[in-house]
PDB file of all heavy atoms in Angstrom:
ATOM      1  N   THR A 372     -15.860   7.611 -14.957  1.00 98.00           N
ATOM      2  CA  THR A 372     -17.323   7.630 -14.821  1.00 98.00           C
ATOM      3  C   THR A 372     -17.769   6.910 -13.509  1.00 98.00           C
ATOM      4  O   THR A 372     -16.874   6.228 -12.893  1.00 98.00           O
ATOM      5  CB  THR A 372     -18.029   6.884 -15.974  1.00 98.00           C
ATOM      6  OG1 THR A 372     -17.632   5.491 -15.961  1.00 98.00           O
ATOM      7  CG2 THR A 372     -17.551   7.417 -17.341  1.00 98.00           C
ATOM      8  N   TYR A 373     -18.996   7.133 -13.140  1.00 97.00           N
ATOM      9  CA  TYR A 373     -19.490   6.482 -11.918  1.00 97.00           C
ATOM     10  C   TYR A 373     -19.320   5.021 -12.065  1.00 97.00           C
ATOM     11  O   TYR A 373     -18.952   4.295 -11.118  1.00 97.00           O
ATOM     12  CB  TYR A 373     -20.922   6.936 -11.679  1.00 97.00           C
ATOM     13  CG  TYR A 373     -21.956   6.126 -12.382  1.00 97.00           C
ATOM     14  CD1 TYR A 373     -22.500   4.971 -11.831  1.00 97.00           C
ATOM     15  CD2 TYR A 373     -22.290   6.424 -13.719  1.00 97.00           C
ATOM     16  CE1 TYR A 373     -23.367   4.163 -12.590  1.00 97.00           C
ATOM     17  CE2 TYR A 373     -23.237   5.717 -14.379  1.00 97.00           C
ATOM     18  CZ  TYR A 373     -23.799   4.551 -13.833  1.00 97.00           C
ATOM     19  OH  TYR A 373     -24.726   3.775 -14.579  1.00 97.00           O
ATOM     20  N   GLN A 374     -19.595   4.409 -13.259  1.00 97.00           N
ATOM     21  CA  GLN A 374     -19.554   2.968 -13.387  1.00 97.00           C
ATOM     22  C   GLN A 374     -18.117   2.504 -13.277  1.00 97.00           C
ATOM     23  O   GLN A 374     -17.961   1.431 -12.669  1.00 97.00           O
ATOM     24  CB  GLN A 374     -20.064   2.600 -14.812  1.00 97.00           C
ATOM     25  CG  GLN A 374     -20.208   1.079 -15.040  1.00 97.00           C
ATOM     26  CD  GLN A 374     -21.198   0.475 -14.072  1.00 97.00           C
ATOM     27  OE1 GLN A 374     -22.362   0.782 -14.085  1.00 97.00           O
ATOM     28  NE2 GLN A 374     -20.731  -0.422 -13.228  1.00 97.00           N
ATOM     29  N   GLN A 375     -17.109   3.201 -13.756  1.00 98.00           N
ATOM     30  CA  GLN A 375     -15.722   2.805 -13.595  1.00 98.00           C
ATOM     31  C   GLN A 375     -15.299   2.778 -12.166  1.00 98.00           C
ATOM     32  O   GLN A 375     -14.613   1.924 -11.707  1.00 98.00           O
ATOM     33  CB  GLN A 375     -14.866   3.753 -14.473  1.00 98.00           C
ATOM     34  CG  GLN A 375     -15.034   3.537 -15.977  1.00 98.00           C
ATOM     35  CD  GLN A 375     -14.220   4.555 -16.786  1.00 98.00           C
ATOM     36  OE1 GLN A 375     -14.262   5.710 -16.465  1.00 98.00           O
ATOM     37  NE2 GLN A 375     -13.574   4.125 -17.852  1.00 98.00           N
ATOM     38  N   VAL A 376     -15.776   3.864 -11.354  1.00 98.00           N
ATOM     39  CA  VAL A 376     -15.415   3.855 -10.002  1.00 98.00           C
ATOM     40  C   VAL A 376     -16.072   2.664  -9.276  1.00 98.00           C
ATOM     41  O   VAL A 376     -15.422   2.017  -8.444  1.00 98.00           O
ATOM     42  CB  VAL A 376     -15.856   5.161  -9.297  1.00 98.00           C
ATOM     43  CG1 VAL A 376     -15.713   5.087  -7.774  1.00 98.00           C
ATOM     44  CG2 VAL A 376     -15.272   6.367  -9.995  1.00 98.00           C
ATOM     45  N   GLN A 377     -17.301   2.308  -9.556  1.00 97.00           N
ATOM     46  CA  GLN A 377     -17.919   1.231  -8.959  1.00 97.00           C
ATOM     47  C   GLN A 377     -17.280  -0.088  -9.298  1.00 97.00           C
ATOM     48  O   GLN A 377     -17.052  -0.928  -8.432  1.00 97.00           O
ATOM     49  CB  GLN A 377     -19.418   1.206  -9.358  1.00 97.00           C
ATOM     50  CG  GLN A 377     -20.295   2.315  -8.810  1.00 97.00           C
ATOM     51  CD  GLN A 377     -21.751   2.156  -9.126  1.00 97.00           C
ATOM     52  OE1 GLN A 377     -22.580   2.886  -8.517  1.00 97.00           O
ATOM     53  NE2 GLN A 377     -22.117   1.298 -10.013  1.00 97.00           N
ATOM     54  N   ASP A 378     -16.815  -0.164 -10.523  1.00 97.00           N
ATOM     55  CA  ASP A 378     -16.094  -1.437 -10.921  1.00 97.00           C
ATOM     56  C   ASP A 378     -14.760  -1.573 -10.221  1.00 97.00           C
ATOM     57  O   ASP A 378     -14.423  -2.681  -9.795  1.00 97.00           O
ATOM     58  CB  ASP A 378     -15.854  -1.396 -12.452  1.00 97.00           C
ATOM     59  CG  ASP A 378     -17.094  -1.558 -13.264  1.00 97.00           C
ATOM     60  OD1 ASP A 378     -18.152  -2.022 -12.689  1.00 97.00           O
ATOM     61  OD2 ASP A 378     -17.077  -1.333 -14.469  1.00 97.00           O
ATOM     62  N   ILE A 379     -14.020  -0.438 -10.007  1.00 98.00           N
ATOM     63  CA  ILE A 379     -12.751  -0.531  -9.292  1.00 98.00           C
ATOM     64  C   ILE A 379     -12.983  -0.930  -7.872  1.00 98.00           C
ATOM     65  O   ILE A 379     -12.261  -1.783  -7.309  1.00 98.00           O
ATOM     66  CB  ILE A 379     -12.110   0.869  -9.350  1.00 98.00           C
ATOM     67  CG1 ILE A 379     -11.563   1.158 -10.766  1.00 98.00           C
ATOM     68  CG2 ILE A 379     -10.934   0.968  -8.380  1.00 98.00           C
ATOM     69  CD1 ILE A 379     -11.151   2.570 -10.995  1.00 98.00           C
ATOM     70  N   LEU A 380     -14.040  -0.383  -7.251  1.00 97.00           N
ATOM     71  CA  LEU A 380     -14.346  -0.769  -5.801  1.00 97.00           C
ATOM     72  C   LEU A 380     -14.660  -2.261  -5.761  1.00 97.00           C
ATOM     73  O   LEU A 380     -14.224  -2.990  -4.831  1.00 97.00           O
ATOM     74  CB  LEU A 380     -15.512   0.063  -5.367  1.00 97.00           C
ATOM     75  CG  LEU A 380     -15.253   1.517  -5.018  1.00 97.00           C
ATOM     76  CD1 LEU A 380     -16.547   2.323  -4.788  1.00 97.00           C
ATOM     77  CD2 LEU A 380     -14.396   1.697  -3.838  1.00 97.00           C
ATOM     78  N   ARG A 381     -15.530  -2.767  -6.641  1.00 95.00           N
ATOM     79  CA  ARG A 381     -15.868  -4.155  -6.579  1.00 95.00           C
ATOM     80  C   ARG A 381     -14.718  -5.108  -6.861  1.00 95.00           C
ATOM     81  O   ARG A 381     -14.588  -6.113  -6.197  1.00 95.00           O
ATOM     82  CB  ARG A 381     -16.978  -4.433  -7.665  1.00 95.00           C
ATOM     83  CG  ARG A 381     -18.288  -3.905  -7.307  1.00 95.00           C
ATOM     84  CD  ARG A 381     -19.342  -4.494  -8.274  1.00 95.00           C
ATOM     85  NE  ARG A 381     -20.573  -3.740  -8.302  1.00 95.00           N
ATOM     86  CZ  ARG A 381     -20.914  -2.805  -9.228  1.00 95.00           C
ATOM     87  NH1 ARG A 381     -20.103  -2.567 -10.130  1.00 95.00           N
ATOM     88  NH2 ARG A 381     -22.110  -2.248  -9.085  1.00 95.00           N
TER      89      ARG A 381
END
Side-chain angles (χ1 to χ4, degrees):
T372 66
Y373 84 93
Q374 187 63 61
Q375 288 172 317
V376 174
Q377 293 186 166
D378 290 344
I379 290 168
L380 287 168
R381 289 192 193 97

